[in-house]
């Protein structure tokens, strides 16, 4: 009997310790939020509808789904810190382009997912992507990636990217420059473009028109 009581005591003690460090439920009075930059704390709490709610393991997903309804949130995890406090870890969605063409209007994120919603708060911060083919979305992300890898963003920012079946890739920068890349050997042309920009900077010249459509040949017009 003594062994049984001792075993029961150990089991009970384990439950108490586990329950103290891992709350089985939570009446949410305090909310810690981490990882949010674009989305305000108030917006997350209002969207979640979790304040002053009794939270159990079986209804956590409901509140997580509420938060994920926000377009700017890619993922969220919820942790019960105590019986009155939770922590929300937010991973925001990273948008790359504001898609604006005759066929598509919306936002394109870094994973190539297109959203028809067009949030005003991002319109002026993102370069415009103009294409009539959804299959070109991946090419647009590839161009953005190559720009970052080639460190071309140190010279200018993209204002608009046009991907056309006939002319190919057309780039317009925030400095009023036009760059034509065509539709082949894009990586090679990125290296060529970087050389042109470095040379222009060294000679204190500003290229306003760069045509790299023909392989091995570059046409550059400068602002006199």
């Amino acid at each position: 009997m003594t062994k049984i009581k001792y075993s029961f005591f150990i089991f009970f003690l384990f439950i108490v310790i586990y329950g103290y460090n891992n709350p089985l439920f939570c009446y949410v009075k305090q909310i810690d939020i981490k990882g949010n930059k674009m989305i305000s704390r108030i917006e997350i709490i209002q969207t979640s509808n979790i304040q002053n709610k009794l939270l159990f393991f079986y209804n956590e997903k409901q509140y997580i789904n509420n938060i994920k309804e926000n377009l700017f949130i890619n993922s969220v995890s919820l942790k019960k810190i105590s019986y009155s406090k939770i922590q929300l870890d937010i991973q925001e969605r990273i948008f790359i382009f504001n898609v604006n063409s005759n066929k598509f209007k919306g936002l394109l994120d870094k994973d190539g997912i297109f959203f028809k919603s067009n949030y005003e708060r991002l319109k002026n911060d993102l370069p415009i992507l103009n294409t009539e083919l959804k299959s070109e979305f991946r090419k647009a992300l590839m161009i953005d990636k190559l720009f970052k890898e080639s460190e071309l963003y140190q010279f200018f920012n993209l204002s608009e990217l046009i991907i056309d079946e006939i002319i190919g890739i057309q780039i317009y920068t925030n400095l009023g420059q036009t760059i034509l890349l065509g539709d082949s050997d894009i990586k090679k042309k990125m290296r060529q473009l970087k050389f042109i920009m470095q040379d222009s900077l060294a000679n204190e010249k500003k290229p306003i028109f760069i045509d790299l459509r023909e392989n091995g040949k570059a046409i550059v017009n400068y602002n006199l």
Side-chain angles (χ1 to χ4, degrees):
M1 182 65 71
T2 304
K3 288 185 178 180
I4 295 175
K5 287 182 179 180
Y6 179 76
S7 298
F8 179 79
F9 174 77
I10 294 297
F11 176 75
F12 178 77
L13 185 62
F14 171 79
I15 293 297
V16 170
I17 294 173
Y18 179 85
Y20 178 80
N21 294 297
N22 302 274
L24 302 177
F25 65 89
C26 178
Y27 183 72
V28 182
K29 301 297 290 183
Q30 293 179 271
I31 303 174
D32 281 351
I33 301 177
K34 296 184 178 180
N36 60 311
K37 295 179 181 177
M38 291 189 299
I39 318 163
S40 69
R41 169 186 170 81
I42 294 175
E43 185 177 353
I44 294 171
I45 292 175
Q46 288 177 340
T47 303
S48 70
N49 193 31
I50 201 172
Q51 187 81 52
N52 298 322
K53 293 296 195 311
L54 192 59
L55 186 67
F56 288 94
F57 70 91
Y58 64 84
N59 64 353
E60 286 183 12
K61 191 173 182 180
Q62 168 192 335
Y63 296 107
I64 289 174
N65 288 337
N66 287 347
I67 298 171
K68 290 174 70 174
E69 287 180 6
N70 190 310
L71 180 64
F72 288 91
I73 294 179
N74 186 41
S75 65
V76 56
S77 62
L78 184 155
K79 181 180 180 181
K80 294 187 287 292
I81 304 299
S82 70
Y83 285 94
S84 63
K85 180 179 178 180
I86 64 168
Q87 178 178 302
L88 297 174
D89 289 297
I90 303 294
Q91 184 182 73
E92 295 181 334
R93 194 179 304 280
I94 299 174
F95 292 102
I96 304 297
F97 288 103
N98 173 21
V99 185
N100 189 6
S101 65
N102 293 327
K103 194 171 182 181
F104 303 105
K105 293 187 185 299
L107 299 170
L108 187 68
D109 76 0
K110 70 177 184 64
D111 297 315
I113 302 174
F114 174 70
F115 298 85
K116 289 184 178 180
S117 300
N118 202 348
Y119 275 61
E120 290 293 331
R121 74 175 83 172
L122 282 178
K123 271 188 175 182
N124 297 326
D125 298 330
L126 295 174
I128 294 171
L129 172 61
N130 190 330
T131 180
E132 302 301 324
L133 298 174
K134 199 169 185 177
S135 58
E136 302 288 19
F137 288 170
R138 287 290 176 183
K139 184 180 289 186
L141 295 179
M142 179 267 291
I143 293 168
D144 175 71
K145 181 181 178 182
L146 289 175
F147 262 69
K148 291 173 181 174
E149 290 176 349
S150 302
E151 299 179 333
L152 284 165
Y153 281 125
Q154 66 181 301
F155 303 109
F156 52 73
N157 289 322
L158 288 180
S159 177
E160 183 175 6
L161 172 63
I162 300 176
I163 303 179
D164 183 83
E165 288 186 274
I166 299 174
I167 300 177
I169 297 168
Q170 307 164 62
I171 293 168
Y172 299 89
T173 79
N174 63 317
L175 301 178
Q177 300 159 301
T178 299
I179 303 169
L180 306 181
L181 296 179
D183 57 6
S184 63
D185 294 324
I186 302 303
K187 289 185 179 181
K188 181 180 178 181
K189 290 175 181 178
M190 287 292 183
R191 293 192 294 269
Q192 193 175 2
L193 177 58
K194 183 177 181 180
F195 174 80
I196 292 171
M197 298 307 298
Q198 288 174 329
D199 181 70
S200 300
L201 185 63
N203 291 284
E204 299 182 347
K205 297 186 294 183
K206 177 186 174 182
I208 58 171
F209 178 82
I210 303 173
D211 189 347
L212 299 174
R213 287 176 294 176
E214 188 175 339
N215 289 332
K217 182 180 179 181
I219 298 174
V220 184
N221 294 333
Y222 294 95
N223 189 5
L224 300 178

